Amino acid sequence: MVDILLGYHGVLLQGLAATLIVSGSAIAIGLVTGLLLAFGLMSPYRVVRWPCGVYRSFWRGTPILLQLLLVYYLLPELGLEVAPVVAAILALALNTTAFQAEIFRSGLAHIPEGQSEAARMLGMKPWTIRRRILVPQMFRLILPPLTNEVITILKNSSLVSVIAVTELMRVSQQISARTFDPLATYLTAGAVYLAVNLLLAQVSRRLERRWTGAIAE
């Protein structure tokens, strides 16, 4: 492992950078689209809830590898020629949107309805209530499951190598082919993934303690 890490650290860092860009971009997009989908799932209108529910069921109920391949091969059929990395980001974003929406919906459901009713009595508009009252509280409630989703997407990004995206897993495969030492190579890649995920978990715990302390004060 040490020989692999020292001998190929530059290539591994490039692969890690690609992994972080792909997964980070997907998560960032999912934060916005997932929140919109969550509100759609909670809409009082069935015409809004039904398509949102269908979307959620498809992207949560099918394998992410299948989703990657569908997006990668469907885009050219629609006349959209994009780089593999763009297709990878889009597929992961569509996937995490469904999972984040369910996390957001659960968080919003735990906020007392009386807060929204009081805000409406004061003349606040629905989107203002969501932006200034509901969403800030929701993020405090959902930080642990949201962190788990970030870690899941980071791990699932290893699958984008099947559509020729040169991220950490793809780089590891290339190193393995050069060194003829797959065990040490993949153990090194696993250690890198683990280090990043432990860092994310630590950041999440610190944010959670900070927000909990702010509420207590």
Side-chain angles (χ1 to χ4, degrees), residues 38-59:
F39 286 129
L41 291 168
M42 300 177 71
S43 172
Y45 305 106
R46 186 176 180 182
V47 70
V48 176
R49 289 197 314 272
W50 187 81
C52 290
V54 170
Y55 177 95
R56 178 188 58 183
S57 297
F58 175 81
W59 291 97

Side-chain angles (χ1 to χ4, degrees), residues 75-165:
L75 291 177
E77 294 293 328
L78 298 176
L80 300 173
E81 297 293 339
V82 298
V85 67
V86 176
I89 291 172
L90 178 59
L92 291 178
L94 291 170
N95 175 273
T96 193
T97 292
F99 284 90
Q100 289 192 54
E102 192 60 24
I103 293 171
F104 295 152
R105 187 195 63 77
S106 177
L108 289 168
H110 281 81
I111 299 174
E113 180 63 27
Q115 295 188 22
S116 297
E117 294 177 357
R120 283 193 292 268
M121 291 179 63
L122 293 173
M124 296 179 68
K125 297 181 178 179
W127 279 105
T128 304
I129 295 172
R130 292 170 179 174
R131 179 172 58 86
R132 301 186 63 179
I133 297 175
L134 299 181
V135 172
Q137 294 185 76
M138 176 200 72
F139 274 108
R140 294 189 181 98
L141 293 170
I142 65 163
L143 187 57
L146 184 59
T147 301
N148 290 337
E149 174 61 15
V150 172
I151 291 173
T152 297
I153 287 296
L154 183 66
K155 292 187 294 184
N156 285 340
S157 68
S158 62
L159 296 173
V160 305
S161 60
V162 301
I163 58 173
V165 177

Side-chain angles (χ1 to χ4, degrees), residues 3-86:
D3 291 340
I4 297 294
L5 192 58
L6 293 178
Y8 293 92
H9 64 276
V11 179
L12 287 169
L13 285 175
Q14 290 177 2
L16 176 60
T19 292
L20 294 177
I21 289 171
V22 169
S23 54
S25 299
I27 287 293
I29 295 170
L31 284 172
V32 178
T33 54
L35 187 58
L36 293 175
L37 182 61
F39 286 129
L41 291 168
M42 300 177 71
S43 172
Y45 305 106
R46 186 176 180 182
V47 70
V48 176
R49 289 197 314 272
W50 187 81
C52 290
V54 170
Y55 177 95
R56 178 188 58 183
S57 297
F58 175 81
W59 291 97
R60 295 184 70 201
T62 54
I64 193 167
L65 180 58
L66 173 65
Q67 297 167 9
L68 281 164
L69 293 173
L70 284 176
V71 171
Y72 182 66
Y73 289 110
L74 180 61
L75 291 177
E77 294 293 328
L78 298 176
L80 300 173
E81 297 293 339
V82 298
V85 67
V86 176

